[in-house]
Amino acid sequence: MKRKFMPFSVPSVGKEEAKAVASVIRSGWLTTGGKAREFEEEFKKLVGAKHAVALSSCTAALHLALEAIGIREGDRVMTSPMTFASTAEVIRYFGAEPVFVDVEPDTLNIDHEKLKRKTEELSARGLAPKAVMPVHYAGHPAEMDGIMQVAEKYGMRVIEDAAHAFPAKYRGRAVGAIGDITCFSFYATKNITTGEGGMAVTGNPQWAERMRVMSLHGISKDAWRRYSSEGTWRYEITAPGYKYNMTDISAAIGLEQLKKLDSLQIRRREIADSYDRAFAGLPFFKKTAVRRHVEHALHLYVIALNPEALRIGRDGFVEELKKLGIGTSVHFIPLHIHPYYKEAFGYGPEDFPEAFGAYKRIISLPLYPSMKEEDVWRVIKAVTETAGRFSA
Ligand SMILES: *Cc1c(COP(=O)(O)O)cnc(C)c1O
């Protein structure tokens, strides 16, 4: 029996979002306006931040964050290799250098002890880095106490890539209320979506204002005010900015998603718990750890294959699951083994052995709120039976 292919990810959008979009279209105001402002207000309350700027993507948010803190050509910025293209490419936009630091083997988040050693070493050589960009891998907050201490000691700004980490908490504080600027993603696969979209939040009003201005061509007044009765035709270009604003169409979707946030997260938790129970006693897999002092956003459910218990590698395992109609993914192919970073900075795979070692064993399983109980059981059955067939 050939069953329908189960995609790795499906966004949880429905008639509420469709209705909200239709209403924006009827209003005649499609681009950045009242809905975008409303989305910023609601979002910043949820993460306990003073300022929020709605943007076209998390990549745009990360770029504007580095611009706001004054990253320049030749600067160094510390980050994790276990991340998506965005985190390091935005450093390259300035002609600055991404300096990778290996991850903790259990959470795959940047290792703050190694961050400390590398920052110390660079500072001693007069090459002090300007910023650190932790990535909250899979939705598990990075060790922010250790990271903030290193940052303070060496004068680094902390720009968080929280693309996976809404909503998440570290020692009772929401991700968004910890570092200098925190960047979220509303890409179609993320915990909440606006189709494409992102948000930068900060406690610093100057940085917030700079990001807002630079998100719209460096123009000092919002374009939407120019075309409403409150505005005039007059505007000033204060810097060569970018075009990174969020439309009201996207923001209207985002506002509906926020209303569903609690129920979406409850469903993610139920699915993750079912996986935990099903895989816990088996020798084939290792799940990434969850520290007691965090609230995990449960963006990804990642298993690592145990090579001693299996006669099949990661790539083969992914193929077997595909044959059984289960879509999976791998987060991430570490940045340092991609041709660009390898060639531009001369990295070898073993320069970051934890990231590279994990990469060879990890698989991300489907985890999204619209999965039915039978879908969850189908994944569990496919994973455990495949492991059983290839047991060593
Ligand atoms: C998805 C993702 C991004 C990019 O988000 P966009 O909104 O698509 O720009 C950045 N970092 C990580 C870790 C991601 O997973």
Side-chain angles (χ1 to χ4, degrees), residues 38 72 81 90-91 120 143 151 180 190 219 234 238 258 271 287 307 315 371 379 383 390:
E38 207 183 312
R72 303 221 189 301
V90 297
I91 301 169
E120 229 162 42
E143 269 313 318
D180 289 309
K190 301 288 155 70
I219 290 174
R234 203 179 289 281
T238 59
L258 289 185
I271 299 166
K287 190 187 161 266
D315 295 5
M371 286 176 78
V379 175
V383 169
F390 292 93

Side-chain angles (χ1 to χ4, degrees), residues 62-129:
L62 292 165
H63 183 193
L64 292 180
L66 293 184
E67 202 278 337
I69 63 164
I71 292 300
R72 303 221 189 301
E73 188 172 349
D75 285 346
R76 271 155 296 274
V77 178
M78 320 294 280
T79 193
S80 163
M82 210 59 180
T83 186
F84 186 57
S86 314
T87 327
E89 80 191 18
V90 297
I91 301 169
R92 295 299 299 141
Y93 289 177
F94 296 88
E97 184 187 336
V99 179
F100 297 127
V101 174
D102 209 355
V103 294
E104 305 170 337
D106 58 342
T107 65
L108 305 186
N109 276 320
I110 193 167
D111 183 326
H112 68 96
E113 299 287 350
K114 288 183 179 148
L115 173 71
K116 186 171 174 210
R117 285 200 292 277
K118 187 75 192 171
T119 306
E120 229 162 42
E121 177 204 316
L122 286 170
S123 300
R125 289 162 52 205
L127 305 171

Side-chain angles (χ1 to χ4, degrees), residues 56-60 62 83-84 86-87 135 161 163-164 184-187 189-190 196-198 299 331-332:
S56 53
S57 69
C58 180
T59 309
L62 292 165
T83 186
F84 186 57
S86 314
T87 327
V135 180
D161 180 339
H164 298 180
F184 296 91
S185 174
F186 312 124
Y187 181 67
T189 58
K190 301 288 155 70
E196 295 276 1
H299 174 56
H331 296 85
F332 290 96

Side-chain angles (χ1 to χ4, degrees), residues 71-334:
I71 292 300
R72 303 221 189 301
E73 188 172 349
D75 285 346
R76 271 155 296 274
V77 178
M78 320 294 280
T79 193
S80 163
M82 210 59 180
T83 186
F84 186 57
S86 314
T87 327
E89 80 191 18
V90 297
I91 301 169
R92 295 299 299 141
Y93 289 177
F94 296 88
E97 184 187 336
V99 179
F100 297 127
V101 174
D102 209 355
V103 294
E104 305 170 337
D106 58 342
T107 65
L108 305 186
N109 276 320
I110 193 167
D111 183 326
H112 68 96
E113 299 287 350
K114 288 183 179 148
L115 173 71
K116 186 171 174 210
R117 285 200 292 277
K118 187 75 192 171
T119 306
E120 229 162 42
E121 177 204 316
L122 286 170
S123 300
R125 289 162 52 205
L127 305 171
K130 291 276 168 63
V132 54
M133 299 173 81
V135 180
H136 304 300
Y137 178 85
H140 187 305
E143 269 313 318
M144 292 308 290
D145 281 354
I147 293 166
M148 297 300 284
Q149 272 167 24
V150 179
E152 195 166 333
K153 181 162 180 200
Y154 294 95
M156 292 189 289
R157 297 293 181 197
V158 180
I159 308 296
E160 293 163 67
D161 180 339
H164 298 180
F166 178 70
K169 284 187 179 165
Y170 177 81
R171 296 196 193 281
R173 284 163 83 194
V175 168
I178 305 171
D180 289 309
I181 303 176
T182 306
C183 303
F184 296 91
S185 174
F186 312 124
Y187 181 67
T189 58
K190 301 288 155 70
N191 286 32
I192 70 160
T193 185
T194 60
E196 295 276 1
M199 188 81 77
V201 307
T202 180
N204 181 312
Q206 277 91 36
W207 291 336
E209 183 55 22
R210 178 71 180 180
M211 290 190 287
R212 192 177 295 289
V213 166
M214 292 307 275
S215 76
L216 263 176
H217 310 293
I219 290 174
S220 59
K221 291 266 184 304
D222 286 352
W224 71 282
R225 274 197 274 164
R226 274 201 288 142
Y227 296 107
S228 72
S229 58
E230 308 159 48
T232 74
W233 52 269
R234 203 179 289 281
Y235 62 87
E236 286 180 321
I237 297 165
T238 59
Y242 307 95
K243 186 64 167 64
Y244 281 164
N245 55 306
M246 177 182 279
T247 67
D248 268 18
I249 299 174
S250 295
I253 300 174
L255 281 163
E256 294 306 317
Q257 293 269 283
L258 289 185
K259 291 183 199 161
K260 299 178 177 177
L261 182 63
D262 290 346
S263 61
L264 294 177
Q265 289 302 115
I266 286 169
R267 184 63 191 139
R268 280 183 183 275
R269 162 62 59 203
E270 286 169 357
I271 299 166
D273 284 348
S274 296
Y275 286 162
D276 280 352
R277 280 193 298 272
F279 305 140
L282 304 176
F284 311 118
F285 319 111
K286 216 181 98 212
K287 190 187 161 266
T288 46
V290 182
R291 301 259 158 84
R292 270 167 200 263
H293 54 273
V294 309
E295 271 176 46
H296 198 304
L298 300 169
H299 174 56
L300 300 175
Y301 193 95
V302 179
I303 55 170
L305 303 182
N306 174 5
E308 270 134 51
L310 291 165
R311 288 178 289 110
I312 188 171
R314 191 272 317 280
D315 295 5
F317 208 100
V318 165
E319 273 313 302
E320 291 300 319
L321 292 179
K322 197 168 159 193
K323 280 190 221 156
L324 295 168
I326 311 289
T328 58
S329 192
V330 172
H331 296 85
F332 290 96
I333 304 167

